[in-house]
Coordinates of all heavy atoms in Angstrom, one line a residue:
M1 N 30.5 -0.1 60.5 CA 29.4 -0.3 59.7 C 28.2 0.7 60.2 O 27.9 0.6 61.3 CB 29.0 -1.8 59.6 CG 27.8 -1.8 58.7 SD 27.3 -3.5 58.4 CE 26.4 -3.9 60.0
S2 N 27.6 1.4 59.3 CA 26.6 2.2 59.7 C 25.3 1.4 59.9 O 25.1 0.5 59.2 CB 26.3 3.2 58.6 OG 25.1 3.9 58.6
D3 N 24.4 1.9 60.9 CA 23.2 1.2 61.1 C 22.2 1.4 59.9 O 21.3 0.5 59.8 CB 22.5 1.8 62.4 CG 23.2 1.3 63.7 OD1 23.9 0.4 63.6 OD2 22.9 2.0 64.7
E4 N 22.5 2.3 59.0 CA 21.5 2.4 57.9 C 22.2 1.9 56.6 O 21.6 2.0 55.6 CB 21.3 4.0 57.7 CG 20.6 4.5 58.9 CD 19.2 3.9 59.2 OE1 18.4 3.7 58.2 OE2 19.0 3.6 60.3
E5 N 23.3 1.2 56.7 CA 24.0 0.7 55.6 C 23.1 -0.4 54.9 O 22.7 -1.3 55.4 CB 25.3 0.1 55.9 CG 26.3 0.0 54.9 CD 27.6 -0.3 55.4 OE1 27.8 -1.1 56.2 OE2 28.5 0.5 54.9
E6 N 22.9 -0.2 53.6 CA 22.1 -1.2 52.8 C 22.9 -2.5 52.5 O 24.1 -2.4 52.1 CB 21.5 -0.6 51.6 CG 20.5 0.5 51.8 CD 20.0 1.2 50.5 OE1 20.7 0.9 49.4 OE2 19.1 1.9 50.6
V7 N 22.2 -3.7 52.6 CA 23.0 -4.8 52.4 C 22.1 -5.8 51.5 O 20.8 -5.7 51.3 CB 23.2 -5.7 53.7 CG1 24.1 -4.8 54.6 CG2 22.0 -6.0 54.5
R8 N 22.8 -6.8 51.0 CA 22.1 -7.9 50.2 C 22.6 -9.1 50.8 O 23.6 -9.2 51.5 CB 22.6 -7.7 48.7 CG 22.2 -6.4 48.0 CD 22.7 -6.4 46.6 NE 22.1 -7.4 45.7 CZ 21.1 -7.4 45.2 NH1 20.1 -6.5 45.5 NH2 20.6 -8.3 44.3
V9 N 22.0 -10.2 50.5 CA 22.1 -11.6 51.1 C 22.1 -12.7 49.9 O 21.2 -12.5 49.1 CB 21.4 -11.9 52.3 CG1 19.9 -12.0 51.9 CG2 21.8 -13.1 53.0
W10 N 23.0 -13.6 50.1 CA 22.9 -14.7 49.3 C 23.3 -16.1 50.0 O 23.9 -15.9 51.0 CB 23.6 -14.7 47.9 CG 25.0 -14.5 48.1 CD1 25.8 -13.4 48.4 CD2 26.1 -15.5 47.9 NE1 27.2 -13.6 48.4 CE2 27.4 -15.0 48.0 CE3 26.0 -16.9 47.6 CZ2 28.5 -15.7 47.9 CZ3 27.2 -17.6 47.4 CH2 28.4 -17.0 47.5
I11 N 22.8 -17.2 49.6 CA 23.3 -18.4 50.2 C 24.0 -19.4 49.2 O 23.6 -19.4 48.1 CB 21.9 -19.1 50.8 CG1 21.3 -18.4 51.7 CG2 22.3 -20.6 51.2 CD1 19.9 -19.0 52.2
D12 N 25.0 -19.9 49.7 CA 25.8 -21.0 48.9 C 25.2 -22.3 49.3 O 25.4 -22.9 50.3 CB 27.3 -20.9 49.3 CG 28.2 -21.9 48.5 OD1 27.5 -22.8 47.8 OD2 29.3 -21.8 48.6
Q13 N 24.3 -22.7 48.3 CA 23.4 -23.9 48.5 C 24.4 -25.2 48.6 O 24.0 -26.2 49.2 CB 22.4 -24.2 47.4 CG 21.1 -23.4 47.8 CD 21.2 -21.9 47.5 OE1 21.9 -21.6 46.6 NE2 20.5 -21.1 48.2
K14 N 25.6 -25.1 48.0 CA 26.5 -26.3 48.2 C 26.9 -26.5 49.6 O 27.3 -27.7 49.9 CB 27.7 -26.0 47.3 CG 27.4 -26.0 45.8 CD 28.6 -26.0 45.0 CE 29.2 -24.6 45.0 NZ 29.1 -23.6 44.1
L15 N 26.8 -25.5 50.5 CA 27.2 -25.6 51.9 C 26.0 -25.8 52.8 O 26.2 -26.0 54.0 CB 28.2 -24.5 52.3 CG 29.5 -24.3 51.5 CD1 30.2 -23.1 51.9 CD2 30.2 -25.6 51.6
C16 N 24.8 -25.5 52.2 CA 23.6 -25.4 53.1 C 23.3 -26.8 53.7 O 23.4 -27.8 53.0 CB 22.5 -25.0 52.3 SG 20.9 -24.9 53.3
T17 N 23.1 -26.9 55.0 CA 22.8 -28.1 55.8 C 21.3 -28.4 55.8 O 20.9 -29.5 56.3 CB 23.4 -28.2 57.1 OG1 22.7 -27.1 57.9 CG2 24.9 -28.0 57.0
G18 N 20.5 -27.4 55.4 CA 18.9 -27.5 55.6 C 18.6 -27.4 57.1 O 17.5 -27.9 57.3
D19 N 19.4 -26.9 57.9 CA 19.1 -26.9 59.3 C 17.8 -26.0 59.5 O 17.0 -26.3 60.5 CB 20.2 -26.5 60.2 CG 20.1 -26.5 61.6 OD1 20.2 -27.4 62.2 OD2 19.8 -25.3 62.1
G20 N 17.7 -25.0 58.9 CA 16.5 -24.1 59.0 C 16.5 -23.0 60.0 O 15.6 -22.3 60.1
L21 N 17.7 -22.7 60.6 CA 17.9 -21.7 61.5 C 17.6 -20.4 60.9 O 16.9 -19.5 61.4 CB 19.2 -21.7 62.2 CG 19.5 -20.6 63.3 CD1 18.6 -20.9 64.4 CD2 20.9 -20.6 63.5
C22 N 18.0 -20.1 59.6 CA 17.8 -19.0 58.9 C 16.3 -18.7 58.7 O 15.9 -17.5 58.9 CB 18.6 -18.9 57.6 SG 18.2 -20.2 56.5
V23 N 15.6 -19.8 58.4 CA 14.2 -19.6 58.1 C 13.5 -19.2 59.4 O 12.5 -18.4 59.4 CB 13.5 -20.9 57.4 CG1 12.2 -20.9 57.4 CG2 14.2 -21.2 56.1
Q24 N 13.9 -19.7 60.5 CA 13.3 -19.4 61.8 C 13.7 -17.9 62.2 O 12.8 -17.2 62.7 CB 13.8 -20.2 62.9 CG 13.3 -21.7 62.7 CD 14.0 -22.6 63.7 OE1 14.8 -22.2 64.6 NE2 13.7 -24.0 63.6
V25 N 14.9 -17.5 61.9 CA 15.4 -16.2 62.3 C 14.8 -15.2 61.5 O 14.3 -14.0 62.0 CB 16.8 -16.1 62.4 CG1 17.3 -14.7 62.7 CG2 17.4 -17.1 63.5
A26 N 14.8 -15.3 60.2 CA 14.2 -14.2 59.2 C 13.4 -14.8 58.1 O 13.7 -15.0 57.0 CB 15.5 -13.6 58.7
P27 N 12.2 -15.3 58.5 CA 11.3 -15.9 57.6 C 10.9 -15.0 56.3 O 10.4 -15.5 55.2 CB 10.1 -16.4 58.4 CG 10.1 -15.5 59.5 CD 11.6 -15.2 59.7
D28 N 11.1 -13.8 56.6 CA 10.6 -12.8 55.4 C 11.8 -12.9 54.4 O 11.6 -12.3 53.2 CB 10.5 -11.4 55.9 CG 9.3 -11.2 56.7 OD1 8.3 -12.1 56.6 OD2 9.1 -10.2 57.5
V29 N 13.0 -13.3 54.7 CA 14.1 -13.3 53.8 C 14.5 -14.7 53.4 O 14.9 -14.9 52.1 CB 15.4 -12.7 54.4 CG1 16.5 -12.6 53.5 CG2 15.0 -11.3 54.9
F30 N 14.3 -15.7 54.1 CA 14.8 -17.1 53.9 C 13.6 -18.1 53.8 O 12.6 -17.9 54.5 CB 15.8 -17.6 54.9 CG 17.0 -16.7 55.0 CD1 17.1 -15.9 56.1 CD2 18.0 -16.7 54.2 CE1 18.2 -15.1 56.4 CE2 19.2 -16.0 54.3 CZ 19.2 -15.1 55.4
E31 N 13.7 -19.0 52.8 CA 12.7 -20.0 52.8 C 13.2 -21.3 52.2 O 14.2 -21.3 51.4 CB 11.6 -19.6 51.8 CG 10.4 -20.5 51.7 CD 9.3 -19.9 50.9 OE1 9.0 -18.7 51.0 OE2 8.8 -20.6 49.9
F32 N 12.7 -22.5 52.5 CA 13.2 -23.8 51.9 C 12.6 -23.9 50.5 O 11.5 -23.6 50.2 CB 12.7 -24.9 52.8 CG 13.4 -25.1 54.1 CD1 12.9 -25.0 55.3 CD2 14.8 -25.4 54.1 CE1 13.4 -25.2 56.4 CE2 15.5 -25.6 55.2 CZ 14.9 -25.5 56.5
G33 N 13.5 -24.4 49.6 CA 13.1 -24.9 48.3 C 12.6 -26.3 48.4 O 12.7 -27.0 49.4
R34 N 12.1 -26.7 47.3 CA 11.7 -28.3 47.3 C 12.8 -29.1 47.6 O 12.5 -30.4 47.9 CB 11.1 -28.6 45.9 CG 9.7 -27.8 45.8 CD 9.1 -28.1 44.5 NE 7.9 -27.4 44.3 CZ 6.8 -27.7 43.4 NH1 7.1 -28.5 42.6 NH2 5.9 -26.9 43.3
D35 N 14.0 -28.8 47.3 CA 15.2 -29.6 47.5 C 15.6 -29.7 49.0 O 16.6 -30.4 49.4 CB 16.3 -29.2 46.7 CG 16.8 -27.8 46.9 OD1 16.2 -27.1 47.8 OD2 17.6 -27.3 46.2
G36 N 14.9 -29.0 49.9 CA 15.2 -29.0 51.3 C 16.3 -28.1 51.8 O 16.7 -28.1 53.0
L37 N 16.8 -27.3 50.8 CA 17.9 -26.2 51.1 C 17.1 -24.9 51.2 O 16.2 -24.7 50.6 CB 18.8 -26.2 50.0 CG 19.6 -27.5 49.7 CD1 20.6 -27.4 48.5 CD2 20.3 -28.1 50.9
A38 N 17.9 -24.0 51.9 CA 17.4 -22.7 52.1 C 17.7 -21.7 50.8 O 18.8 -21.9 50.3 CB 17.9 -22.0 53.4
Y39 N 16.9 -20.8 50.5 CA 17.1 -19.9 49.6 C 16.7 -18.5 50.0 O 15.9 -18.3 51.0 CB 16.2 -20.2 48.2 CG 16.8 -21.5 47.6 CD1 16.4 -22.6 48.0 CD2 17.7 -21.4 46.5 CE1 16.8 -23.8 47.4 CE2 18.2 -22.6 46.0 CZ 17.7 -23.8 46.4 OH 18.2 -24.8 45.7
V40 N 17.1 -17.4 49.4 CA 16.8 -16.0 49.7 C 15.3 -15.8 48.9 O 15.2 -16.2 47.8 CB 17.8 -15.1 49.5 CG1 19.0 -15.2 50.5 CG2 18.3 -15.0 48.1
K41 N 14.7 -14.8 49.5 CA 13.3 -14.3 48.8 C 13.6 -12.9 48.7 O 14.1 -12.2 49.4 CB 12.2 -14.6 49.7 CG 11.9 -16.0 50.1 CD 10.6 -16.2 50.9 CE 10.6 -15.6 52.2 NZ 9.3 -16.0 52.8
E42 N 12.9 -12.4 47.6 CA 12.9 -10.9 47.3 C 11.6 -10.5 46.8 O 10.9 -11.2 46.2 CB 14.0 -10.5 46.4 CG 14.2 -9.0 46.2 CD 15.4 -8.7 45.5 OE1 15.7 -9.2 44.4 OE2 16.3 -7.9 46.0
G43 N 11.3 -9.2 46.9 CA 10.1 -8.6 46.4 C 8.9 -8.7 47.3 O 9.0 -9.5 48.3
N44 N 7.8 -7.9 47.0 CA 6.7 -8.0 47.8 C 6.0 -9.3 47.9 O 5.4 -9.7 48.9 CB 5.7 -6.9 47.4 CG 6.2 -5.5 47.6 OD1 7.1 -5.2 48.5 ND2 5.8 -4.5 46.8
E45 N 6.1 -10.0 46.8 CA 5.5 -11.5 46.8 C 6.3 -12.4 47.5 O 6.0 -13.6 47.6 CB 5.2 -11.8 45.4 CG 4.1 -11.0 44.8 CD 4.6 -9.6 44.2 OE1 5.7 -9.6 43.8 OE2 3.9 -8.7 44.4
G46 N 7.6 -12.1 47.8 CA 8.5 -13.1 48.4 C 9.0 -14.1 47.4 O 9.1 -15.2 47.7
D47 N 9.4 -13.6 46.2 CA 9.8 -14.7 45.2 C 11.2 -15.3 45.6 O 12.0 -14.7 45.9 CB 10.0 -13.9 43.9 CG 8.7 -13.2 43.3 OD1 7.6 -13.8 43.5 OD2 8.8 -12.2 42.6
L48 N 11.0 -16.6 45.5 CA 12.3 -17.4 45.8 C 13.2 -17.3 44.8 O 12.9 -17.6 43.6 CB 11.8 -18.9 46.0 CG 12.6 -19.8 47.0 CD1 12.7 -19.1 48.4 CD2 12.0 -21.1 47.0
L49 N 14.5 -16.9 45.1 CA 15.5 -16.8 44.0 C 16.3 -18.1 44.0 O 17.2 -18.3 45.0 CB 16.5 -15.6 44.5 CG 15.7 -14.2 44.6 CD1 16.7 -13.1 45.0 CD2 14.8 -13.8 43.3
M50 N 16.1 -18.9 43.1 CA 16.7 -20.3 43.0 C 18.0 -20.3 42.2 O 18.7 -21.2 42.3 CB 15.8 -21.2 42.3 CG 14.3 -21.3 43.1 SD 14.4 -22.2 44.5 CE 14.6 -23.9 44.0
A51 N 18.4 -19.2 41.4 CA 19.6 -19.2 40.7 C 20.9 -19.3 41.6 O 20.8 -18.6 42.7 CB 19.6 -18.0 39.8
E52 N 21.8 -19.9 41.2 CA 23.1 -20.0 42.0 C 23.6 -18.6 42.3 O 23.8 -17.8 41.3 CB 24.1 -20.9 41.4 CG 25.4 -21.2 42.3 CD 26.3 -22.2 41.6 OE1 25.8 -23.0 40.9 OE2 27.5 -22.1 41.8
G53 N 23.9 -18.2 43.6 CA 24.5 -16.9 43.9 C 23.6 -15.8 43.8 O 24.0 -14.7 43.8
A54 N 22.3 -16.1 43.7 CA 21.2 -15.0 43.5 C 21.2 -14.2 44.8 O 21.1 -14.7 45.9 CB 19.9 -15.5 43.2
Q55 N 21.3 -12.9 44.7 CA 21.3 -12.0 45.9 C 19.9 -11.3 46.0 O 19.4 -10.9 45.1 CB 22.4 -10.9 45.8 CG 23.6 -11.6 45.7 CD 24.9 -10.5 45.8 OE1 24.6 -9.3 45.9 NE2 26.1 -10.9 45.7
A56 N 19.5 -11.1 47.3 CA 18.3 -10.4 47.5 C 18.6 -9.2 48.4 O 19.5 -9.2 49.4 CB 17.3 -11.3 48.4
D57 N 17.9 -8.2 48.1 CA 18.0 -6.9 49.0 C 17.3 -7.2 50.3 O 16.4 -7.9 50.4 CB 17.2 -5.7 48.3 CG 18.0 -5.2 47.0 OD1 19.2 -5.2 47.1 OD2 17.2 -4.8 46.1
V58 N 18.0 -6.6 51.3 CA 17.5 -6.8 52.7 C 17.0 -5.4 53.2 O 17.7 -4.4 53.1 CB 18.6 -7.3 53.7 CG1 18.1 -7.4 55.1 CG2 19.1 -8.6 53.2
S59 N 15.8 -5.4 53.6 CA 15.2 -4.2 54.2 C 15.9 -3.8 55.5 O 16.5 -4.7 56.3 CB 13.7 -4.2 54.5 OG 13.4 -5.2 55.5
N60 N 15.9 -2.6 55.9 CA 16.7 -2.1 57.0 C 16.1 -2.8 58.3 O 16.9 -3.2 59.2 CB 16.7 -0.6 57.3 CG 17.6 -0.1 58.3 OD1 18.7 -0.6 58.3 ND2 17.2 0.7 59.2
R61 N 14.9 -3.0 58.4 CA 14.2 -3.6 59.6 C 14.6 -5.1 59.8 O 14.6 -5.6 60.8 CB 12.7 -3.5 59.6 CG 11.9 -4.3 58.6 CD 10.5 -4.2 58.7 NE 9.8 -5.0 57.7 CZ 9.4 -6.4 57.9 NH1 9.9 -6.8 59.0 NH2 8.9 -7.0 57.0
L62 N 15.0 -5.8 58.6 CA 15.6 -7.1 58.8 C 16.9 -7.3 58.7 O 17.4 -8.5 58.9 CB 14.9 -8.0 57.6 CG 13.4 -7.9 57.6 CD1 12.8 -8.6 56.3 CD2 12.8 -8.8 58.8
R63 N 17.7 -6.2 58.6 CA 19.1 -6.3 58.4 C 19.8 -7.0 59.6 O 20.7 -8.0 59.4 CB 19.7 -4.8 58.4 CG 21.1 -4.8 58.0 CD 21.5 -3.4 57.6 NE 22.2 -2.6 58.3 CZ 22.7 -2.7 59.6 NH1 22.4 -3.7 60.3 NH2 23.6 -1.8 60.2
L64 N 19.5 -6.8 60.8 CA 20.1 -7.3 62.0 C 19.7 -8.9 62.0 O 20.6 -9.8 62.4 CB 19.8 -6.6 63.3 CG 20.4 -5.4 63.4 CD1 20.0 -4.6 64.6 CD2 21.9 -5.3 63.2
D65 N 18.5 -9.3 61.7 CA 18.1 -10.5 61.7 C 18.9 -11.5 60.7 O 19.3 -12.6 60.9 CB 16.6 -10.8 61.5 CG 15.6 -10.2 62.5 OD1 16.2 -10.2 63.7 OD2 14.5 -10.0 62.2
V66 N 19.1 -10.9 59.6 CA 19.8 -11.6 58.5 C 21.4 -11.7 58.9 O 22.0 -12.8 58.7 CB 19.7 -10.8 57.1 CG1 20.7 -11.4 56.2 CG2 18.4 -10.9 56.6
I67 N 21.9 -10.7 59.5 CA 23.2 -10.8 59.9 C 23.3 -11.9 61.1 O 24.3 -12.8 61.2 CB 23.7 -9.5 60.6 CG1 24.1 -8.4 59.4 CG2 25.0 -9.6 61.4 CD1 24.2 -7.0 59.7
D68 N 22.3 -11.9 62.1 CA 22.2 -13.0 63.0 C 22.2 -14.3 62.4 O 22.9 -15.2 62.9 CB 21.1 -12.8 64.0 CG 21.3 -11.7 65.0 OD1 22.4 -11.2 65.2 OD2 20.2 -11.2 65.6
A69 N 21.4 -14.6 61.4 CA 21.2 -15.9 60.8 C 22.6 -16.2 60.2 O 22.9 -17.3 60.2 CB 20.1 -15.7 59.6
A70 N 23.3 -15.3 59.5 CA 24.6 -15.6 58.9 C 25.6 -16.1 60.1 O 26.2 -17.0 59.8 CB 25.2 -14.4 58.1
D71 N 25.5 -15.3 61.1 CA 26.5 -15.7 62.3 C 26.3 -17.1 62.9 O 27.1 -17.8 63.4 CB 26.4 -14.5 63.2 CG 27.1 -13.3 62.8 OD1 27.8 -13.2 61.9 OD2 26.8 -12.2 63.5
E72 N 25.0 -17.4 62.9 CA 24.5 -18.6 63.5 C 24.3 -19.8 62.7 O 24.2 -21.0 63.2 CB 23.2 -18.4 64.3 CG 23.2 -17.3 65.4 CD 24.1 -17.7 66.4 OE1 24.2 -18.9 66.9 OE2 24.7 -16.7 67.0
C73 N 24.4 -19.6 61.4 CA 24.2 -20.7 60.4 C 25.3 -21.9 60.6 O 26.5 -21.7 60.5 CB 24.3 -20.2 59.0 SG 24.3 -21.4 57.7
P74 N 24.7 -23.2 60.8 CA 25.7 -24.3 61.0 C 26.4 -24.6 59.8 O 27.5 -25.1 59.8 CB 24.8 -25.4 61.5 CG 23.4 -25.0 61.1 CD 23.4 -23.5 61.1
G75 N 25.9 -24.2 58.6 CA 26.7 -24.6 57.4 C 27.6 -23.4 56.9 O 28.3 -23.6 55.9
N76 N 27.5 -22.3 57.6 CA 28.3 -21.3 57.3 C 28.3 -20.8 55.9 O 29.3 -20.7 55.1 CB 29.9 -21.5 57.8 CG 30.6 -20.2 57.9 OD1 30.0 -19.2 58.3 ND2 31.9 -20.4 57.9
C77 N 27.0 -20.8 55.3 CA 26.8 -20.6 54.0 C 26.0 -19.4 53.6 O 25.6 -19.2 52.4 CB 26.1 -21.7 53.4 SG 24.4 -22.0 54.1
I78 N 25.8 -18.4 54.6 CA 24.9 -17.2 54.4 C 26.0 -16.1 54.2 O 26.7 -15.9 55.0 CB 23.9 -17.1 55.3 CG1 23.0 -18.2 55.5 CG2 23.2 -15.6 55.2 CD1 22.0 -18.0 56.7
H79 N 25.9 -15.5 53.1 CA 26.8 -14.2 52.9 C 26.0 -13.0 52.8 O 25.0 -12.8 52.0 CB 27.5 -14.4 51.5 CG 28.3 -15.5 51.3 ND1 29.6 -15.7 51.5 CD2 27.9 -17.0 51.0 CE1 30.2 -16.9 51.3 NE2 29.0 -17.6 51.1
V80 N 26.4 -11.9 53.6 CA 25.7 -10.6 53.8 C 26.7 -9.6 53.3 O 27.8 -9.5 53.8 CB 25.2 -10.4 55.2 CG1 24.5 -9.1 55.2 CG2 24.3 -11.5 55.8
V81 N 26.3 -8.9 52.3 CA 27.3 -8.0 51.6 C 26.7 -6.6 51.6 O 25.5 -6.5 51.5 CB 27.7 -8.4 50.2 CG1 28.4 -9.8 50.2 CG2 26.5 -8.5 49.3
R82 N 27.6 -5.5 51.7 CA 27.2 -4.2 51.5 C 26.8 -4.0 50.0 O 27.5 -4.4 49.1 CB 28.3 -3.2 51.9 CG 28.5 -3.1 53.3 CD 29.4 -1.8 53.6 NE 30.6 -1.9 52.9 CZ 31.9 -2.1 53.5 NH1 32.0 -2.2 54.9 NH2 32.9 -2.2 52.8
R83 N 25.6 -3.3 49.8 CA 25.2 -3.0 48.4 C 26.2 -2.0 47.8 O 26.4 -2.1 46.6 CB 23.9 -2.3 48.5 CG 22.8 -3.5 48.7 CD 21.4 -2.8 48.5 NE 21.2 -2.4 47.1 CZ 20.2 -1.7 46.6 NH1 19.3 -1.3 47.6 NH2 20.1 -1.5 45.4
L84 N 26.7 -1.2 48.7 CA 27.7 0.0 48.0 C 28.9 -0.6 47.3 O 29.2 -0.2 46.2 CB 28.1 0.9 49.2 CG 29.0 2.0 48.9 CD1 28.4 3.0 47.8 CD2 29.5 2.7 50.0
D85 N 29.5 -1.5 47.9 CA 30.8 -2.1 47.4 C 30.9 -3.6 47.3 O 31.9 -4.3 46.8 CB 32.0 -1.6 48.1 CG 32.0 -1.9 49.6 OD1 31.2 -2.6 50.0 OD2 33.0 -1.4 50.3
G86 N 29.9 -4.3 47.7 CA 29.9 -5.7 47.7 C 30.8 -6.5 48.8 O 30.9 -7.7 48.8
A87 N 31.4 -5.6 49.7 CA 32.2 -6.2 50.8 C 31.3 -7.0 51.7 O 30.2 -6.7 52.2 CB 32.9 -5.2 51.5
E88 N 31.8 -8.2 52.1 CA 31.0 -9.1 53.0 C 31.1 -8.6 54.4 O 32.2 -8.5 54.9 CB 31.5 -10.5 52.8 CG 30.7 -11.5 53.6 CD 30.7 -12.9 53.1 OE1 30.8 -13.0 51.8 OE2 30.7 -13.9 53.9
I89 N 30.0 -8.5 55.1 CA 30.1 -7.9 56.4 C 29.7 -9.1 57.5 O 29.9 -8.8 58.6 CB 29.1 -6.7 56.7 CG1 27.7 -7.0 56.3 CG2 29.6 -5.6 55.8 CD1 26.7 -6.0 56.7
A90 N 29.0 -10.2 56.9 CA 28.7 -11.3 57.8 C 28.7 -12.5 56.9 O 28.4 -12.5 55.8 CB 27.5 -11.1 58.5
G91 N 29.2 -13.6 57.5 CA 29.3 -14.8 56.7 C 30.7 -15.3 56.7 O 31.6 -14.8 57.4
P92 N 31.0 -16.4 55.9 CA 32.3 -17.1 55.9 C 33.5 -16.2 55.3 O 34.6 -16.4 55.8 CB 32.1 -18.3 55.1 CG 30.9 -18.0 54.2 CD 30.0 -17.1 55.1
D93 N 33.2 -15.1 54.6 CA 34.2 -14.4 54.1 C 34.3 -13.0 54.6 O 35.0 -12.1 54.2 CB 34.1 -14.2 52.5 CG 34.1 -15.6 51.8 OD1 34.9 -16.5 52.3 OD2 33.4 -15.7 50.7
A94 N 33.6 -12.8 55.7 CA 33.6 -11.5 56.3 C 35.0 -11.3 57.1 O 35.6 -12.1 57.5 CB 32.6 -11.4 57.5
G95 N 35.4 -10.0 56.9 CA 36.8 -9.6 57.5 C 36.7 -9.3 58.9 O 36.9 -9.5 60.0

């Protein structure tokens, strides 16, 4: 994987434990919803994407933090995919 490869991230809320590790590791990308589960944020305003399977673009400066959050997530529910082809590079379905 290239260091400049663009990625997107999404969370499977059905598996989210609400532990909050992702929010601690990458608060610019992850935030808790009112239901106590983590969601991804996107845009300059950090809009919370509440739709099931909603994906957010990840800036290059946050890419490694998001991958770390996926690797450390106790619920194994964070999916990081390449924008180019949708292949999962971190998370439960990563090859």
Side-chain angles (χ1 to χ4, degrees):
M1 180 175 77
S2 163
D3 285 343
E4 298 299 317
E5 199 163 51
E6 294 182 345
V7 298
R8 297 178 61 76
V9 63
W10 64 280
I11 297 175
D12 183 346
Q13 276 76 30
K14 291 184 285 267
L15 300 176
C16 180
T17 62
D19 183 79
L21 182 66
C22 60
V23 176
Q24 292 173 6
V25 172
D28 290 342
V29 179
F30 303 106
E31 184 176 314
F32 285 117
R34 290 184 183 192
D35 58 4
L37 302 177
Y39 292 86
V40 293
K41 301 190 291 187
E42 187 167 56
N44 293 334
E45 293 79 41
D47 296 327
L48 207 57
L49 303 179
M50 303 286 290
E52 185 174 330
Q55 295 185 3
D57 290 322
V58 177
S59 70
N60 192 48
R61 73 176 178 84
L62 295 172
R63 189 167 109 352
L64 293 178
D65 289 342
V66 169
I67 290 170
D68 286 345
D71 290 343
E72 300 297 323
C73 175
N76 204 24
C77 64
I78 300 172
H79 301 261
V80 183
V81 299
R82 282 193 304 247
R83 285 188 66 195
L84 180 66
D85 62 6
E88 188 155 322
I89 61 166
D93 298 329

